[in-house]
Amino acid sequence: MTKPLVLKDIARLAGVSEMTASRALRDAPDVAKATRAKIQKIATELGYVPNRIAGSLASQSVRLVGVVVPSLSSFVFPEVLSGITKGLSSGPLKPVIGVTGYDLNEEEEVIREMLSWRPSGVIVAGLEHTDAARAMLAAAACPVVEIMDVDGDPVAHCVGISHFSAGRGMAATILGKGYRKIGFIGTKMEQDYRANKRLTGFQDYLQANGLEVADLERYSGQSSIETGRELTETMLARTPDIECIYYSSDLMAVGGMMHCLSNGLSVPGDIALCGFNNLELLRGLPIELATTDAHRFEIGLKASEIILANQQSDETRPDTVVELHPVVSFGASL
């Protein structure tokens, strides 16, 4: 665990008094522009976060664990949060949630605000951050766990799956079923790094077997059943002889299935479908969807266990990387 940066450190490095440093970081007008810029640059590069716990509490932490996720509008992250809550339930720590909307600049601000209250731990979805956010996480005086993904360079502790491997695994499953003309439909592909890694792994496996994705839809909006239905209709109109569609999420695949069934298409007789996440809502479908279990609850649970183990120890523990392995569920739609 890193010793927290304090205002005195920033002032010393900038060669000014603590009062001047404090005023500069608050954008006070009575600090020279060049001095203010110098102080703010040092603070940003070092990941300094102002301490908002007043007086006698300044050297302590609150009994909260900051959890930073991109969205709560799907079924994915609530299940992760359930795992975190379950893991923390036996002790005094409680989760507090920040939502970023898949925006790295917004994530940076959420992380800054959360760390300013000196939480007992921080759990952040994903490995991609702004430089400033990464610096803050690296300098945090509490355990930090990045979750959902292991394809990258973690700041500290990490729990997740390889999305590249998940994409390859589904491609292998589809090819093993004999399909060759395969489409992909994904949402928020410019911002969802994990979905992009799955697509890269998917394409990598196809190319290794002499194939390319026959039709590709990279929708910029949110995942939803309605969007999945509309994009499936578009793809089938554009490429009517497509044999199988791989979706970036189960929600989209459910919409695709609804379109096919309502238009008299047999699944998988006329078209095969598969998604990602193994959501609970799939249990109510008329045809069991092929998908990949990404271990969302287990990821949340293990992340909370790492926070507790490190928060309760006076010793600096080595960084922990826990990789869970995605499991393809064949369903009846392939």
Side-chain angles (χ1 to χ4, degrees), residues 240-270:
D241 59 342
I242 205 100
E243 298 172 348
C244 177
I245 301 177
Y246 178 35
Y247 298 83
S248 65
S249 72
D250 285 343
L251 277 182
M252 299 288 287
V254 169
M257 183 179 292
M258 294 301 101
H259 168 77
C260 292
L261 296 181
S262 64
N263 284 274
L265 294 175
S266 169
V267 179
D270 295 317

PDB file of all heavy atoms in Angstrom, residues 240-270:
ATOM      1  N   PRO A 240     -28.516 -11.499 -46.692  1.00  0.00           N
ATOM      2  CA  PRO A 240     -29.570 -12.487 -46.409  1.00  0.00           C
ATOM      3  C   PRO A 240     -29.070 -13.914 -46.263  1.00  0.00           C
ATOM      4  O   PRO A 240     -29.782 -14.742 -45.672  1.00  0.00           O
ATOM      5  CB  PRO A 240     -30.515 -12.354 -47.608  1.00  0.00           C
ATOM      6  CG  PRO A 240     -29.700 -11.725 -48.685  1.00  0.00           C
ATOM      7  CD  PRO A 240     -28.723 -10.835 -47.997  1.00  0.00           C
ATOM      8  N   ASP A 241     -27.883 -14.215 -46.768  1.00  0.00           N
ATOM      9  CA  ASP A 241     -27.390 -15.592 -46.662  1.00  0.00           C
ATOM     10  C   ASP A 241     -26.447 -15.795 -45.475  1.00  0.00           C
ATOM     11  O   ASP A 241     -25.733 -16.785 -45.398  1.00  0.00           O
ATOM     12  CB  ASP A 241     -26.689 -16.005 -47.963  1.00  0.00           C
ATOM     13  CG  ASP A 241     -25.507 -15.107 -48.309  1.00  0.00           C
ATOM     14  OD1 ASP A 241     -25.422 -13.983 -47.762  1.00  0.00           O
ATOM     15  OD2 ASP A 241     -24.676 -15.526 -49.147  1.00  0.00           O
ATOM     16  N   ILE A 242     -26.470 -14.852 -44.518  1.00  0.00           N
ATOM     17  CA  ILE A 242     -25.657 -15.018 -43.309  1.00  0.00           C
ATOM     18  C   ILE A 242     -26.129 -16.257 -42.567  1.00  0.00           C
ATOM     19  O   ILE A 242     -27.323 -16.554 -42.512  1.00  0.00           O
ATOM     20  CB  ILE A 242     -25.749 -13.757 -42.417  1.00  0.00           C
ATOM     21  CG1 ILE A 242     -24.518 -13.627 -41.527  1.00  0.00           C
ATOM     22  CG2 ILE A 242     -26.966 -13.759 -41.548  1.00  0.00           C
ATOM     23  CD1 ILE A 242     -23.514 -12.660 -42.049  1.00  0.00           C
ATOM     24  N   GLU A 243     -25.197 -17.020 -42.014  1.00  0.00           N
ATOM     25  CA  GLU A 243     -25.542 -18.282 -41.345  1.00  0.00           C
ATOM     26  C   GLU A 243     -25.604 -18.159 -39.826  1.00  0.00           C
ATOM     27  O   GLU A 243     -26.348 -18.903 -39.168  1.00  0.00           O
ATOM     28  CB  GLU A 243     -24.504 -19.349 -41.708  1.00  0.00           C
ATOM     29  CG  GLU A 243     -24.435 -19.668 -43.183  1.00  0.00           C
ATOM     30  CD  GLU A 243     -23.275 -20.579 -43.527  1.00  0.00           C
ATOM     31  OE1 GLU A 243     -22.390 -20.790 -42.658  1.00  0.00           O
ATOM     32  OE2 GLU A 243     -23.251 -21.094 -44.659  1.00  0.00           O
ATOM     33  N   CYS A 244     -24.815 -17.243 -39.281  1.00  0.00           N
ATOM     34  CA  CYS A 244     -24.730 -17.128 -37.821  1.00  0.00           C
ATOM     35  C   CYS A 244     -24.372 -15.693 -37.465  1.00  0.00           C
ATOM     36  O   CYS A 244     -23.586 -15.048 -38.164  1.00  0.00           O
ATOM     37  CB  CYS A 244     -23.658 -18.087 -37.294  1.00  0.00           C
ATOM     38  SG  CYS A 244     -23.368 -17.983 -35.499  1.00  0.00           S
ATOM     39  N   ILE A 245     -24.961 -15.171 -36.364  1.00  0.00           N
ATOM     40  CA  ILE A 245     -24.627 -13.827 -35.880  1.00  0.00           C
ATOM     41  C   ILE A 245     -24.133 -13.934 -34.433  1.00  0.00           C
ATOM     42  O   ILE A 245     -24.777 -14.540 -33.574  1.00  0.00           O
ATOM     43  CB  ILE A 245     -25.828 -12.872 -35.933  1.00  0.00           C
ATOM     44  CG1 ILE A 245     -26.361 -12.751 -37.361  1.00  0.00           C
ATOM     45  CG2 ILE A 245     -25.424 -11.491 -35.411  1.00  0.00           C
ATOM     46  CD1 ILE A 245     -27.604 -11.884 -37.483  1.00  0.00           C
ATOM     47  N   TYR A 246     -22.973 -13.329 -34.187  1.00  0.00           N
ATOM     48  CA  TYR A 246     -22.387 -13.229 -32.843  1.00  0.00           C
ATOM     49  C   TYR A 246     -22.603 -11.794 -32.361  1.00  0.00           C
ATOM     50  O   TYR A 246     -22.223 -10.843 -33.034  1.00  0.00           O
ATOM     51  CB  TYR A 246     -20.901 -13.560 -32.913  1.00  0.00           C
ATOM     52  CG  TYR A 246     -20.129 -13.458 -31.628  1.00  0.00           C
ATOM     53  CD1 TYR A 246     -20.695 -13.782 -30.390  1.00  0.00           C
ATOM     54  CD2 TYR A 246     -18.789 -13.055 -31.631  1.00  0.00           C
ATOM     55  CE1 TYR A 246     -19.970 -13.703 -29.214  1.00  0.00           C
ATOM     56  CE2 TYR A 246     -18.043 -12.980 -30.468  1.00  0.00           C
ATOM     57  CZ  TYR A 246     -18.634 -13.304 -29.256  1.00  0.00           C
ATOM     58  OH  TYR A 246     -17.905 -13.225 -28.097  1.00  0.00           O
ATOM     59  N   TYR A 247     -23.231 -11.636 -31.194  1.00  0.00           N
ATOM     60  CA  TYR A 247     -23.549 -10.319 -30.643  1.00  0.00           C
ATOM     61  C   TYR A 247     -22.605  -9.988 -29.488  1.00  0.00           C
ATOM     62  O   TYR A 247     -22.158 -10.869 -28.756  1.00  0.00           O
ATOM     63  CB  TYR A 247     -24.988 -10.298 -30.115  1.00  0.00           C
ATOM     64  CG  TYR A 247     -26.048 -10.553 -31.161  1.00  0.00           C
ATOM     65  CD1 TYR A 247     -26.379 -11.853 -31.537  1.00  0.00           C
ATOM     66  CD2 TYR A 247     -26.730  -9.500 -31.764  1.00  0.00           C
ATOM     67  CE1 TYR A 247     -27.354 -12.098 -32.488  1.00  0.00           C
ATOM     68  CE2 TYR A 247     -27.721  -9.736 -32.711  1.00  0.00           C
ATOM     69  CZ  TYR A 247     -28.029 -11.033 -33.077  1.00  0.00           C
ATOM     70  OH  TYR A 247     -29.004 -11.288 -34.019  1.00  0.00           O
ATOM     71  N   SER A 248     -22.358  -8.694 -29.292  1.00  0.00           N
ATOM     72  CA  SER A 248     -21.474  -8.278 -28.200  1.00  0.00           C
ATOM     73  C   SER A 248     -22.115  -8.441 -26.835  1.00  0.00           C
ATOM     74  O   SER A 248     -21.433  -8.378 -25.816  1.00  0.00           O
ATOM     75  CB  SER A 248     -21.040  -6.822 -28.396  1.00  0.00           C
ATOM     76  OG  SER A 248     -22.157  -5.942 -28.309  1.00  0.00           O
ATOM     77  N   SER A 249     -23.432  -8.639 -26.792  1.00  0.00           N
ATOM     78  CA  SER A 249     -24.116  -8.815 -25.505  1.00  0.00           C
ATOM     79  C   SER A 249     -25.336  -9.710 -25.676  1.00  0.00           C
ATOM     80  O   SER A 249     -25.902  -9.815 -26.771  1.00  0.00           O
ATOM     81  CB  SER A 249     -24.562  -7.466 -24.935  1.00  0.00           C
ATOM     82  OG  SER A 249     -25.655  -6.950 -25.670  1.00  0.00           O
ATOM     83  N   ASP A 250     -25.737 -10.328 -24.590  1.00  0.00           N
ATOM     84  CA  ASP A 250     -26.948 -11.153 -24.605  1.00  0.00           C
ATOM     85  C   ASP A 250     -28.191 -10.329 -24.908  1.00  0.00           C
ATOM     86  O   ASP A 250     -29.122 -10.812 -25.569  1.00  0.00           O
ATOM     87  CB  ASP A 250     -27.125 -11.850 -23.252  1.00  0.00           C
ATOM     88  CG  ASP A 250     -26.176 -13.018 -23.059  1.00  0.00           C
ATOM     89  OD1 ASP A 250     -25.606 -13.495 -24.056  1.00  0.00           O
ATOM     90  OD2 ASP A 250     -26.005 -13.457 -21.909  1.00  0.00           O
ATOM     91  N   LEU A 251     -28.242  -9.091 -24.401  1.00  0.00           N
ATOM     92  CA  LEU A 251     -29.417  -8.253 -24.656  1.00  0.00           C
ATOM     93  C   LEU A 251     -29.649  -8.093 -26.150  1.00  0.00           C
ATOM     94  O   LEU A 251     -30.775  -8.197 -26.640  1.00  0.00           O
ATOM     95  CB  LEU A 251     -29.235  -6.875 -24.020  1.00  0.00           C
ATOM     96  CG  LEU A 251     -29.558  -6.724 -22.543  1.00  0.00           C
ATOM     97  CD1 LEU A 251     -29.346  -5.276 -22.123  1.00  0.00           C
ATOM     98  CD2 LEU A 251     -30.973  -7.166 -22.225  1.00  0.00           C
ATOM     99  N   MET A 252     -28.580  -7.826 -26.874  1.00  0.00           N
ATOM    100  CA  MET A 252     -28.690  -7.678 -28.328  1.00  0.00           C
ATOM    101  C   MET A 252     -29.119  -8.988 -28.975  1.00  0.00           C
ATOM    102  O   MET A 252     -29.934  -9.012 -29.899  1.00  0.00           O
ATOM    103  CB  MET A 252     -27.353  -7.226 -28.895  1.00  0.00           C
ATOM    104  CG  MET A 252     -26.876  -5.891 -28.358  1.00  0.00           C
ATOM    105  SD  MET A 252     -27.843  -4.522 -29.003  1.00  0.00           S
ATOM    106  CE  MET A 252     -27.219  -4.502 -30.679  1.00  0.00           C
ATOM    107  N   ALA A 253     -28.576 -10.097 -28.492  1.00  0.00           N
ATOM    108  CA  ALA A 253     -28.920 -11.403 -29.064  1.00  0.00           C
ATOM    109  C   ALA A 253     -30.386 -11.749 -28.821  1.00  0.00           C
ATOM    110  O   ALA A 253     -31.043 -12.348 -29.683  1.00  0.00           O
ATOM    111  CB  ALA A 253     -28.016 -12.478 -28.463  1.00  0.00           C
ATOM    112  N   VAL A 254     -30.910 -11.360 -27.658  1.00  0.00           N
ATOM    113  CA  VAL A 254     -32.330 -11.597 -27.378  1.00  0.00           C
ATOM    114  C   VAL A 254     -33.185 -10.826 -28.386  1.00  0.00           C
ATOM    115  O   VAL A 254     -34.172 -11.355 -28.923  1.00  0.00           O
ATOM    116  CB  VAL A 254     -32.683 -11.179 -25.941  1.00  0.00           C
ATOM    117  CG1 VAL A 254     -34.199 -11.172 -25.726  1.00  0.00           C
ATOM    118  CG2 VAL A 254     -32.026 -12.123 -24.940  1.00  0.00           C
ATOM    119  N   GLY A 255     -32.807  -9.575 -28.670  1.00  0.00           N
ATOM    120  CA  GLY A 255     -33.524  -8.804 -29.680  1.00  0.00           C
ATOM    121  C   GLY A 255     -33.448  -9.465 -31.044  1.00  0.00           C
ATOM    122  O   GLY A 255     -34.433  -9.500 -31.792  1.00  0.00           O
ATOM    123  N   GLY A 256     -32.257 -10.007 -31.369  1.00  0.00           N
ATOM    124  CA  GLY A 256     -32.105 -10.718 -32.631  1.00  0.00           C
ATOM    125  C   GLY A 256     -32.999 -11.929 -32.720  1.00  0.00           C
ATOM    126  O   GLY A 256     -33.633 -12.194 -33.759  1.00  0.00           O
ATOM    127  N   MET A 257     -33.103 -12.659 -31.619  1.00  0.00           N
ATOM    128  CA  MET A 257     -33.966 -13.830 -31.600  1.00  0.00           C
ATOM    129  C   MET A 257     -35.429 -13.436 -31.774  1.00  0.00           C
ATOM    130  O   MET A 257     -36.186 -14.095 -32.504  1.00  0.00           O
ATOM    131  CB  MET A 257     -33.783 -14.602 -30.287  1.00  0.00           C
ATOM    132  CG  MET A 257     -34.600 -15.879 -30.224  1.00  0.00           C
ATOM    133  SD  MET A 257     -34.364 -16.806 -28.688  1.00  0.00           S
ATOM    134  CE  MET A 257     -32.666 -17.360 -28.868  1.00  0.00           C
ATOM    135  N   MET A 258     -35.846 -12.344 -31.106  1.00  0.00           N
ATOM    136  CA  MET A 258     -37.227 -11.900 -31.234  1.00  0.00           C
ATOM    137  C   MET A 258     -37.547 -11.529 -32.682  1.00  0.00           C
ATOM    138  O   MET A 258     -38.633 -11.823 -33.190  1.00  0.00           O
ATOM    139  CB  MET A 258     -37.475 -10.698 -30.315  1.00  0.00           C
ATOM    140  CG  MET A 258     -37.384 -10.994 -28.826  1.00  0.00           C
ATOM    141  SD  MET A 258     -38.555 -12.267 -28.267  1.00  0.00           S
ATOM    142  CE  MET A 258     -37.484 -13.716 -28.167  1.00  0.00           C
ATOM    143  N   HIS A 259     -36.597 -10.868 -33.357  1.00  0.00           N
ATOM    144  CA  HIS A 259     -36.823 -10.527 -34.764  1.00  0.00           C
ATOM    145  C   HIS A 259     -36.994 -11.786 -35.610  1.00  0.00           C
ATOM    146  O   HIS A 259     -37.919 -11.884 -36.424  1.00  0.00           O
ATOM    147  CB  HIS A 259     -35.658  -9.702 -35.325  1.00  0.00           C
ATOM    148  CG  HIS A 259     -35.706  -9.572 -36.817  1.00  0.00           C
ATOM    149  ND1 HIS A 259     -36.559  -8.704 -37.460  1.00  0.00           N
ATOM    150  CD2 HIS A 259     -35.032 -10.257 -37.802  1.00  0.00           C
ATOM    151  CE1 HIS A 259     -36.412  -8.838 -38.767  1.00  0.00           C
ATOM    152  NE2 HIS A 259     -35.494  -9.769 -39.007  1.00  0.00           N
ATOM    153  N   CYS A 260     -36.081 -12.742 -35.402  1.00  0.00           N
ATOM    154  CA  CYS A 260     -36.123 -13.957 -36.223  1.00  0.00           C
ATOM    155  C   CYS A 260     -37.421 -14.731 -36.021  1.00  0.00           C
ATOM    156  O   CYS A 260     -38.094 -15.123 -36.984  1.00  0.00           O
ATOM    157  CB  CYS A 260     -34.918 -14.843 -35.893  1.00  0.00           C
ATOM    158  SG  CYS A 260     -33.332 -14.137 -36.411  1.00  0.00           S
ATOM    159  N   LEU A 261     -37.793 -14.940 -34.768  1.00  0.00           N
ATOM    160  CA  LEU A 261     -38.983 -15.731 -34.484  1.00  0.00           C
ATOM    161  C   LEU A 261     -40.256 -15.032 -34.965  1.00  0.00           C
ATOM    162  O   LEU A 261     -41.185 -15.683 -35.454  1.00  0.00           O
ATOM    163  CB  LEU A 261     -39.073 -16.024 -32.988  1.00  0.00           C
ATOM    164  CG  LEU A 261     -37.944 -16.893 -32.413  1.00  0.00           C
ATOM    165  CD1 LEU A 261     -38.156 -17.126 -30.917  1.00  0.00           C
ATOM    166  CD2 LEU A 261     -37.842 -18.220 -33.146  1.00  0.00           C
ATOM    167  N   SER A 262     -40.310 -13.703 -34.842  1.00  0.00           N
ATOM    168  CA  SER A 262     -41.510 -12.990 -35.269  1.00  0.00           C
ATOM    169  C   SER A 262     -41.636 -12.897 -36.783  1.00  0.00           C
ATOM    170  O   SER A 262     -42.699 -12.569 -37.306  1.00  0.00           O
ATOM    171  CB  SER A 262     -41.519 -11.575 -34.669  1.00  0.00           C
ATOM    172  OG  SER A 262     -40.439 -10.814 -35.172  1.00  0.00           O
ATOM    173  N   ASN A 263     -40.531 -13.197 -37.488  1.00  0.00           N
ATOM    174  CA  ASN A 263     -40.556 -13.165 -38.952  1.00  0.00           C
ATOM    175  C   ASN A 263     -40.471 -14.561 -39.568  1.00  0.00           C
ATOM    176  O   ASN A 263     -40.132 -14.714 -40.739  1.00  0.00           O
ATOM    177  CB  ASN A 263     -39.410 -12.290 -39.474  1.00  0.00           C
ATOM    178  CG  ASN A 263     -39.682 -10.815 -39.310  1.00  0.00           C
ATOM    179  OD1 ASN A 263     -40.307 -10.190 -40.156  1.00  0.00           O
ATOM    180  ND2 ASN A 263     -39.229 -10.264 -38.183  1.00  0.00           N
ATOM    181  N   GLY A 264     -40.765 -15.560 -38.738  1.00  0.00           N
ATOM    182  CA  GLY A 264     -40.861 -16.918 -39.251  1.00  0.00           C
ATOM    183  C   GLY A 264     -39.541 -17.610 -39.528  1.00  0.00           C
ATOM    184  O   GLY A 264     -39.519 -18.632 -40.223  1.00  0.00           O
ATOM    185  N   LEU A 265     -38.445 -17.061 -38.998  1.00  0.00           N
ATOM    186  CA  LEU A 265     -37.143 -17.693 -39.198  1.00  0.00           C
ATOM    187  C   LEU A 265     -36.883 -18.704 -38.094  1.00  0.00           C
ATOM    188  O   LEU A 265     -37.134 -18.420 -36.908  1.00  0.00           O
ATOM    189  CB  LEU A 265     -36.029 -16.645 -39.199  1.00  0.00           C
ATOM    190  CG  LEU A 265     -36.033 -15.645 -40.362  1.00  0.00           C
ATOM    191  CD1 LEU A 265     -34.951 -14.599 -40.162  1.00  0.00           C
ATOM    192  CD2 LEU A 265     -35.847 -16.365 -41.689  1.00  0.00           C
ATOM    193  N   SER A 266     -36.393 -19.856 -38.458  1.00  0.00           N
ATOM    194  CA  SER A 266     -36.079 -20.891 -37.480  1.00  0.00           C
ATOM    195  C   SER A 266     -34.692 -20.659 -36.906  1.00  0.00           C
ATOM    196  O   SER A 266     -33.742 -20.371 -37.628  1.00  0.00           O
ATOM    197  CB  SER A 266     -36.124 -22.271 -38.158  1.00  0.00           C
ATOM    198  OG  SER A 266     -35.582 -23.264 -37.300  1.00  0.00           O
ATOM    199  N   VAL A 267     -34.589 -20.755 -35.577  1.00  0.00           N
ATOM    200  CA  VAL A 267     -33.300 -20.660 -34.879  1.00  0.00           C
ATOM    201  C   VAL A 267     -33.028 -22.009 -34.217  1.00  0.00           C
ATOM    202  O   VAL A 267     -33.824 -22.456 -33.392  1.00  0.00           O
ATOM    203  CB  VAL A 267     -33.334 -19.544 -33.803  1.00  0.00           C
ATOM    204  CG1 VAL A 267     -32.005 -19.483 -33.066  1.00  0.00           C
ATOM    205  CG2 VAL A 267     -33.660 -18.181 -34.431  1.00  0.00           C
ATOM    206  N   PRO A 268     -31.989 -22.721 -34.612  1.00  0.00           N
ATOM    207  CA  PRO A 268     -30.911 -22.325 -35.522  1.00  0.00           C
ATOM    208  C   PRO A 268     -31.075 -22.832 -36.951  1.00  0.00           C
ATOM    209  O   PRO A 268     -30.100 -22.776 -37.707  1.00  0.00           O
ATOM    210  CB  PRO A 268     -29.709 -22.983 -34.872  1.00  0.00           C
ATOM    211  CG  PRO A 268     -30.257 -24.280 -34.343  1.00  0.00           C
ATOM    212  CD  PRO A 268     -31.656 -23.972 -33.887  1.00  0.00           C
ATOM    213  N   GLY A 269     -32.239 -23.309 -37.330  1.00  0.00           N
ATOM    214  CA  GLY A 269     -32.399 -23.882 -38.658  1.00  0.00           C
ATOM    215  C   GLY A 269     -32.066 -22.928 -39.789  1.00  0.00           C
ATOM    216  O   GLY A 269     -31.296 -23.248 -40.699  1.00  0.00           O
ATOM    217  N   ASP A 270     -32.653 -21.705 -39.720  1.00  0.00           N
ATOM    218  CA  ASP A 270     -32.384 -20.700 -40.755  1.00  0.00           C
ATOM    219  C   ASP A 270     -31.196 -19.809 -40.403  1.00  0.00           C
ATOM    220  O   ASP A 270     -30.468 -19.347 -41.281  1.00  0.00           O
ATOM    221  CB  ASP A 270     -33.624 -19.824 -40.973  1.00  0.00           C
ATOM    222  CG  ASP A 270     -34.796 -20.628 -41.526  1.00  0.00           C
ATOM    223  OD1 ASP A 270     -34.566 -21.453 -42.424  1.00  0.00           O
ATOM    224  OD2 ASP A 270     -35.928 -20.429 -41.043  1.00  0.00           O
TER     225      ASP A 270
END
